[in-house]
Amino acid sequence: MKKRIAVIGFGGMGSWHVNHALKSDVLELAGIYDIDESKSEKARGMGIYAYSSLDEVINDKSVDLVTIAIPNDVHLDTVVRCLKGGKHVICEKPVALSSSDLEEMINASKESGKLFTVHQNRRFDVDYLAMQQLADSGEIGKPIRIESRIHGSRGIPSDWRGEKEHGGGMILDWGIHLIDQLMLIYKDEVIDTINCTLTNITNKEVDDGFYLTITFKSGAVAFVEVGTYNFISMPRFYMKAEKGSALIKDWREKTQVAKCKYWHENDVLPVQTAAGLTKTMAPRDSVTLDTYELDIPKSDVHDFYRNFVSAIDGKVTQLVTHDQMRLDMKIMEQAFKSAELNQTIKFEY
Ligand code: NAD
């Protein structure tokens, strides 16, 4: 049976959830609640019920779950009130601004017996899935280093995302997605150190980009870069693995794989550079490599809600677990700490 959902916040992402619910095979939209009356009017104009307060949502016994899509600094209060009010809760990312806030939310979930998760929708992005499936398959061996980058050229959106008090900045905005993805690819690794540098090119108050290096005890490395002042973008994903390399230039493109067939080459044709010849950095003889493209993985973002609804019915565990939420939060907190201290820090679980 379909579950009835109310969406809290009818801005950019709230509208996405509403459109999604209207098309969903597992949801029925009860309505929206937004503190901004103009958003309520917009909803009514679309034939959607607009609640007049959060209490009205909580007191509506027909509502099974709420999705919270409001600015990051107001997640805590709304999540806790909805859980305590007997609703299952999906909160937008970043779920919280600190580990202690997150624990308060998790405690409210435990005490109320209601499910609580975060909308990590980029677990359904096909670029990430391609990298994750390649790593899992062992086709080119274990990853030694994965670089995950998103480059834009328009700075931070000129809204609350540029303001510290609302939880703005790119670590909390895009970083959380890329960290979450990499920690799923490196799910069996133990983090050793964190090093992070923030950029403030277009915004002095919050990070408008960052470079984050997560080093694992095994020696493997995850590198994340978000930039909002890049007029030429670097490739979306690069993987260096034990038996080859993989590249995704753009998140709409297929993965290029080069698997090393023969380590030794007979004759290497040197490359002429201005400074002289190099054999070390010359391209490999193509007969020593297996080069091919991977099919774009199948993905359906509706599976996020299908999973959550099944989890409410006790049939499956929720896709994004509390422990995964805790780990992502700790990585972001310690990335900020490393940037502030301007040094590499030992990761504390
Ligand atoms: P937005 O500014 O477009 O919309 C926020 C809405 O929340 C506004 O309509 C505002 O009036 C309303 N609001 C503010 N405080 C409220 C409160 N206390 N109660 C009810 N309504 C309130 O912002 P957005 O882009 O929709 O972002 C909302 C959340 O979604 C953020 O946490 C953001 O990080 C997240 N987000 C996630 C993704 C994703 O891909 N998962 C993408 C964009 C945004």
Side-chain angles (χ1 to χ4, degrees):
M1 209 173 77
K2 286 186 173 184
K3 303 282 179 219
R4 274 175 65 79
I5 182 174
V7 176
I8 315 297
F10 192 43
M13 204 54 201
S15 302
W16 187 92
H17 286 285
V18 163
N19 288 332
H20 191 90
L22 291 171
K23 286 184 258 167
S24 171
D25 50 3
V26 295
L27 300 172
E28 189 180 287
L29 183 67
I32 64 104
Y33 166 61
D34 197 295
I35 45 164
D36 179 348
E37 182 49 32
S38 71
K39 299 285 170 63
S40 304
E41 271 170 32
K42 183 181 160 199
R44 288 185 200 108
M46 294 165 66
I48 293 167
Y49 183 74
Y51 290 88
S52 57
S53 66
L54 188 63
D55 282 338
E56 193 197 342
V57 178
I58 290 169
N59 292 330
D60 182 347
K61 295 275 177 285
S62 81
V63 171
D64 302 296
L65 73 145
V66 298
T67 290
I68 296 171
I70 58 182
N72 301 340
D73 59 315
V74 278
H75 287 178
L76 174 63
D77 180 59
T78 310
V79 165
V80 170
R81 278 177 67 191
C82 290
L83 285 168
K84 288 190 173 166
K87 305 300 178 201
H88 300 288
V89 171
I90 296 169
C91 182
E92 261 306 339
K93 47 50 60 175
V95 62
L97 296 182
S98 68
S99 290
S100 59
D101 285 3
L102 177 58
E103 289 309 320
E104 215 177 310
M105 295 168 167
I106 291 172
N107 284 339
S109 161
K110 281 187 187 147
E111 280 163 22
S112 64
K114 295 292 163 185
L115 295 194
F116 164 55
T117 195
V118 55
H119 188 230
Q120 293 296 162
N121 50 331
R122 294 203 173 275
R123 291 187 181 194
F124 295 89
D125 277 358
V126 291
D127 51 355
Y128 150 70
L129 286 172
M131 280 285 145
Q132 187 247 327
Q133 289 168 12
L134 182 62
D136 263 16
S137 71
E139 209 169 300
I140 57 168
K142 277 177 75 161
I144 296 167
R145 181 180 175 93
I146 302 176
E147 302 188 5
S148 170
R149 288 187 176 82
I150 289 288
H151 282 166
S153 62
R154 294 179 189 84
I156 301 180
S158 53
D159 56 13
W160 57 266
R161 262 164 279 249
E163 293 162 15
K164 200 174 176 66
E165 63 167 317
H166 297 303
M170 279 296 139
I171 288 196
L172 292 165
D173 195 45
W174 267 93
I176 175 63
H177 286 301
L178 306 192
I179 290 167
D180 183 65
Q181 291 175 343
L182 282 176
M183 291 315 298
L184 291 176
I185 298 178
Y186 279 122
K187 56 187 180 304
D188 300 325
E189 298 279 357
V190 178
I191 301 177
D192 187 18
T193 62
I194 295 267
N195 183 286
C196 184
T197 307
L198 308 180
T199 62
N200 295 92
I201 304 164
T202 58
N203 187 306
K204 301 294 167 210
E205 194 176 322
V206 295
D207 58 296
D208 57 16
F210 64 89
Y211 310 94
L212 168 66
T213 303
I214 303 169
T215 306
F216 299 100
K217 297 254 191 227
S218 67
V221 172
F223 176 78
V224 186
E225 180 184 339
V226 172
T228 54
Y229 200 72
N230 298 72
F231 302 96
I232 296 176
S233 297
M234 286 178 75
R236 169 72 188 92
F237 263 115
Y238 178 75
M239 181 194 290
K240 177 155 79 173
E242 286 169 338
K243 295 184 217 157
S245 312
L247 178 80
I248 302 178
K249 282 196 186 142
D250 181 286
W251 48 13
R252 289 153 292 214
E253 287 181 16
K254 288 184 172 181
T255 308
Q256 297 167 29
V257 180
K259 188 171 174 177
C260 186
K261 266 200 301 194
Y262 309 108
W263 172 242
H264 294 288
E265 294 167 290
N266 292 333
D267 294 316
V268 178
L269 217 56
V271 170
Q272 177 76 53
T273 70
L277 292 174
T278 175
K279 271 192 171 186
T280 315
M281 297 305 166
R284 287 187 78 83
D285 183 339
S286 61
V287 300
T288 69
L289 294 176
D290 221 353
T291 52
Y292 53 96
E293 285 186 336
L294 296 177
D295 286 338
I296 292 180
K298 300 235 175 312
S299 173
D300 183 357
V301 75
H302 283 271
D303 286 343
F304 180 87
Y305 273 106
R306 290 189 188 116
N307 163 269
F308 195 67
V309 164
S310 284
I312 292 175
D313 288 335
K315 293 180 186 157
V316 294
T317 46
Q318 65 192 54
L319 180 76
V320 188
T321 67
H322 292 176
D323 279 346
Q324 290 167 349
M325 289 150 77
R326 286 181 171 115
L327 181 61
D328 289 347
M329 191 69 240
K330 283 183 181 161
I331 293 172
M332 290 192 295
E333 276 179 329
Q334 292 176 55
F336 281 122
K337 189 172 161 198
S338 160
E340 192 186 323
L341 297 174
N342 193 20
Q343 65 187 44
T344 299
I345 57 173
K346 277 271 175 204
F347 186 70
E348 284 173 31
Y349 273 93

